[in-house]
């Protein structure tokens, strides 16, 4: 009975890339990193090289007609992953420019073989392989056989048990080249300008022997190097909190009277949408939700998209953030993708072990991402909410509503179906004053109040009052009871 051969998977050292690859890079594989100029091919290769190379398992980096080694090192050392002590110990650079200019593929291969046999590397990089191809095509040399060259190079590297990367400038996947067939892995990088944003995406078009995450995955090049943003999944969040098979525990909202309206509190692991017009107190309710969790020993995370942290008007929430009981996620980069925002959120959840999460607000969330990503907003939001609630994290999201005074709406972005519970806030006009009312629209698999209740916002937060009686109160008329005293609109915090 034969046994299966186990392929070791290497950790690339690139955040998010191992998950996209399906668990890491197959050892001894023959890979191509392709894409147009400036998309990050060389940076990605260097980041993996410095993460994987050791004195016992060194790396060779062959440069051809691209940047000479000294110029390449000058720019690559600006990244955090660069280790100057690894040069000439774990990492060696070899310039093949002269051999490539001669246009003889046999001579190029011979030089590679000599250096590999001399240093016995575990990792081999050839940048740019496209230059080797173009140089061979410009010379009239009947001995040049590109398919044979590629096949021989791949077989030699596999025989020497070296994991190999060819870096090449290719503009479309339809380019005819034998390397596409011979390569075990094909990592394709793309970039495009969207208004004032540079949008970069990665696709694993091929990786033999393992399932990869399909589709395009956004990535960013920062001082730390390349970071890939795979889509959120339940498996990626397993370390945050244990999932509850049966929802029995209910969380207190921190607002007197609201727990009763919800049927005893919000079931743990549910997603709640709080919808209302500007100034109705959505953020006040969200802050109370996080503060109540902190009082009970639970940590939380808030993602803010509509106001800067130094302008948070809720002093209690600001104090919780300073004390480390609530994590803050906020970014105003112009080229954010939804998956990047999600990863920022998940990183903070893992760091704190948070069980309560607030997204304030969905409309700001949608506007924060680059325009090219907004068409996937609902799908990505659904994936995020499902992943978080699937492991027991309770999510509160706020959503801006236009108050028409004569109808009751709560789903302007088609997000109501994503949530397990909905609270709607709105205004009514009584005796030339704007008063606030709220109601619980749904709590999935649970009984809840169907009352519309008046509420006010004061120095103690949001206070729920008595039920509104009479249809005329909803349409701007006079209610049948005297409402509780409410602060004016200018005192409210959105």
């Amino acid at each position: 009975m034969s046994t299966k051969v186990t392929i070791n998977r290497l950790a690339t050292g690139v955040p998010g890339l191992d998950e996209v690859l399906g668990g890491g890079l197959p050892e001894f594989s023959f890979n191509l990193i392709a894409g147009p100029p400036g998309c990050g091919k060389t940076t990605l290769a260097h980041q993996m090289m410095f993460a994987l190379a050791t004195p016992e398992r060194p790396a060779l980096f062959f440069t051809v007609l691209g940047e000479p080694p000294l110029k390449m090192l000058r720019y690559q050392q600006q990244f955090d992953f660069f280790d100057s002590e690894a040069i000439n110990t774990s990492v060696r650079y070899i310039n093949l420019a002269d051999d490539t200019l001669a246009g003889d593929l046999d001579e190029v291969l011979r030089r590679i073989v000599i250096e590999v046999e001399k240093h016995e590397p575990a990792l081999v990089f050839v940048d740019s392989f496209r230059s080797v191809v173009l140089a061979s095509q410009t010379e009239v040399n009947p001995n040049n056989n590109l398919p044979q060259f590629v096949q021989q190079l791949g077989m030699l590297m596999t025989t020497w048990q070296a994991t190999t990367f060819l870096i090449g400038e290719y503009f479309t996947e339809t380019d005819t080249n034998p390397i596409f067939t011979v390569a075990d892995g094909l990592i394709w990088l793309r970039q495009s300008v969207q208004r004032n944003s540079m949008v970069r995406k990665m696709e694993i078009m091929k990786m033999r022997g393992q399932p990869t995450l399909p589709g395009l995955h956004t990535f960013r090049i920062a001082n730390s190097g390349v970071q890939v943003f795979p889509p959120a999944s339940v498996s990626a969040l397993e370390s945050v909190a244990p999932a509850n098979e049966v929802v029995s525990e209910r969380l207190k909202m921190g607002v007197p009277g609201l727990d009763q309206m919800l049927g005893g509190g919000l079931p743990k692991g549910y997603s709640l949408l709080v919808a209302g017009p500007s100034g109705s107190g959505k953020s006040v309710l969200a802050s109370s939700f996080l503060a109540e969790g902190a009082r009970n020993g639970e940590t939380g995370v808030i993602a803010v998209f509509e106001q800067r942290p130094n302008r948070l008007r809720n002093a209690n929430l600001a104090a919780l953030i300073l004390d480390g009981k609530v994590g803050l996620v906020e970014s105003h980069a112009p080229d954010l993708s939804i998956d990047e925002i999600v990863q920022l959120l998940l990183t903070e959840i893992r760091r704190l072990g948070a069980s309560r999460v607030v997204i304030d607000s969905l409309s700001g969330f949608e506007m924060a991402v680059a325009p090219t990503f907004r068409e996937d907003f609902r799908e990505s939001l659904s994936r995020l909410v499902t992943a978080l609630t699937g492991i027991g994290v309770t999510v509160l999201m706020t959503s801006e509503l236009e108050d028409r005074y004569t109808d009751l709406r709560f789903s302007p972005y088609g997000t109501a179906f994503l949530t397990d519970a909905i609270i709607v806030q709105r205004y009514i006009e009584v005796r030339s004053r704007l008063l606030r009312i709220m109601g619980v629209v749904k709590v999935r698999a649970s009984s809840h109040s169907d009352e519309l209740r008046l509420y006010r916002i004061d120095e103690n937060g949001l206070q729920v009052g008595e039920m509104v009686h009479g249809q005329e109160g909803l349409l701007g008329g006079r209610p049948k009871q005297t409402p509780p005293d409410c602060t004016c609109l200018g005192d409210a915090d959105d």
Side-chain angles (χ1 to χ4, degrees):
M1 181 178 179
S2 61
T3 58
K4 289 185 177 180
V5 176
T6 301
I7 298 178
N8 185 34
R9 296 179 181 180
L10 305 175
T12 61
V14 179
L17 181 56
D18 292 344
E19 184 177 347
V20 170
L21 289 172
L25 187 75
E27 191 175 25
F28 311 141
S29 57
F30 189 65
N31 307 283
L32 174 64
I33 302 175
C39 65
K41 301 183 299 298
T42 300
T43 300
L44 176 63
H46 274 80
Q47 190 169 347
M48 290 191 288
M49 179 174 67
F50 280 101
L52 293 170
T54 64
E56 297 74 27
R57 294 173 51 82
L60 289 183
F61 199 104
F62 293 97
T63 61
V64 286
L65 294 181
E67 297 175 307
L70 289 179
K71 183 178 179 182
M72 184 180 297
L73 287 172
R74 178 184 180 187
Y75 289 105
Q76 291 300 316
Q77 67 181 341
Q78 306 304 314
F79 293 104
D80 296 340
F81 60 75
F82 188 88
D83 182 7
S84 59
E85 296 182 357
I87 305 299
N88 295 327
T89 56
S90 300
V91 174
R92 289 180 171 85
Y93 289 87
I94 299 170
N95 194 345
L96 297 180
D98 294 339
D99 302 283
T100 307
L101 285 172
D104 189 345
L105 293 181
D106 291 337
E107 179 61 22
V108 174
L109 184 61
R110 189 185 70 83
R111 280 292 314 278
I112 293 176
V113 170
I114 290 175
E115 298 295 342
V116 169
E117 289 180 341
K118 177 181 178 181
H119 298 286
E120 298 182 348
L123 304 160
V124 175
F125 298 81
V126 181
D127 187 7
S128 153
F129 181 74
R130 177 78 165 179
S131 301
V132 177
V133 176
L134 294 177
S136 68
Q137 292 174 345
T138 58
E139 296 291 332
V140 182
N141 190 338
N143 295 323
N144 278 354
N145 188 324
L146 182 59
Q148 180 179 335
F149 171 83
V150 171
Q151 188 173 14
Q152 287 179 344
L153 181 60
M155 291 177 60
L156 286 171
M157 294 306 168
T158 303
T159 302
W160 286 320
Q161 293 190 330
T163 306
T164 307
F165 301 85
L166 307 184
I167 299 101
E169 292 181 356
Y170 296 92
F171 293 88
T172 65
E173 304 90 325
T174 58
D175 286 350
T176 58
N177 196 300
I179 186 61
F180 294 170
T181 303
V182 176
D184 300 313
L186 178 53
I187 302 175
W188 205 283
L189 307 184
R190 296 175 172 84
Q191 67 178 10
S192 61
V193 177
Q194 304 287 337
R195 297 184 181 178
N196 294 326
S197 304
M198 175 63 75
V199 177
R200 292 185 169 94
K201 297 183 180 182
M202 172 186 297
E203 181 180 8
I204 310 300
M205 299 187 64
K206 180 182 182 182
M207 191 59 64
R208 287 194 175 112
Q210 63 190 50
T212 60
L213 290 183
L216 298 174
H217 308 283
T218 58
F219 70 95
R220 178 181 292 277
I221 301 177
N223 290 335
S224 58
V226 174
Q227 181 175 1
V228 185
F229 304 103
S233 63
V234 174
S235 60
L237 296 168
E238 288 175 349
S239 61
V240 177
N244 293 336
E245 294 183 0
V246 179
V247 177
S248 57
E249 182 180 352
R250 289 181 179 259
L251 303 180
K252 301 301 182 183
M253 298 296 297
V255 177
L258 183 56
D259 293 332
Q260 180 184 3
M261 296 178 65
L262 289 167
L266 181 65
K268 184 176 181 180
Y270 267 33
S271 57
L272 168 65
L273 176 66
V274 180
S278 177
S280 60
K282 302 183 295 297
S283 295
V284 174
L285 176 54
S287 298
S288 298
F289 173 72
L290 293 173
E292 181 66 21
R295 280 191 289 270
N296 290 280
E298 300 177 67
T299 53
V301 173
I302 181 170
V304 178
F305 298 103
E306 294 189 344
Q307 49 189 342
R308 305 289 293 186
N310 58 1
R311 289 192 291 165
L312 286 174
R313 296 177 60 187
N314 191 299
N316 189 21
L317 176 60
L320 292 175
I321 293 173
L322 289 175
D323 291 342
K325 297 179 181 179
V326 173
L328 175 66
V329 173
E330 74 92 30
S331 179
H332 294 275
D335 53 353
L336 284 174
S337 70
I338 296 175
D339 287 330
E340 181 173 356
I341 294 175
V342 168
Q343 289 301 317
L344 291 172
L345 184 59
L346 299 185
T347 298
E348 196 68 5
I349 292 173
R350 291 190 187 97
R351 184 180 71 85
L352 294 174
S355 58
R356 297 191 182 206
V357 173
V358 167
I359 299 176
D360 187 20
S361 68
L362 291 182
S363 51
F365 186 4
E366 185 177 20
M367 293 301 296
V369 302
T372 186
F373 300 116
R374 289 176 190 167
E375 61 183 19
D376 301 324
F377 178 74
R378 289 179 61 186
E379 178 184 351
S380 299
L381 181 63
S382 175
R383 191 165 57 238
L384 170 63
V385 171
T386 300
L388 291 176
T389 57
I391 56 158
V393 174
T394 308
V395 184
L396 186 153
M397 300 174 287
T398 68
S399 180
E400 186 78 14
L401 274 182
E402 176 188 357
D403 199 330
R404 298 180 180 177
Y405 295 94
T406 58
D407 58 6
L408 197 62
R409 301 178 304 119
F410 50 85
S411 181
Y413 299 100
T415 54
F417 76 97
L418 300 175
T419 57
D420 302 304
I422 298 174
I423 294 175
V424 65
Q425 299 175 335
R426 61 158 305 175
Y427 297 112
I428 59 173
E429 182 183 355
V430 179
R431 299 172 185 170
S432 299
R433 297 180 63 190
L434 286 179
L435 304 181
R436 302 178 181 90
I437 61 172
M438 73 163 56
V440 177
V441 176
K442 76 170 183 178
V443 180
R444 185 167 288 143
S446 172
S447 60
H448 59 85
S449 172
D450 59 359
E451 300 174 347
L452 289 173
R453 290 182 173 269
L454 290 158
Y455 68 96
R456 70 178 186 271
I457 301 172
D458 57 24
E459 64 277 4
N460 296 318
L462 195 149
Q463 309 292 327
V464 177
E466 297 182 351
M467 182 178 67
V468 176
H469 296 281
Q471 179 69 17
E472 66 274 20
L474 294 182
L475 300 179
R478 181 177 301 177
K480 292 184 178 179
Q481 67 176 48
T482 302
D485 185 29
C486 297
T487 59
C488 65
L489 180 61
D491 295 333
D493 187 357
D494 191 24

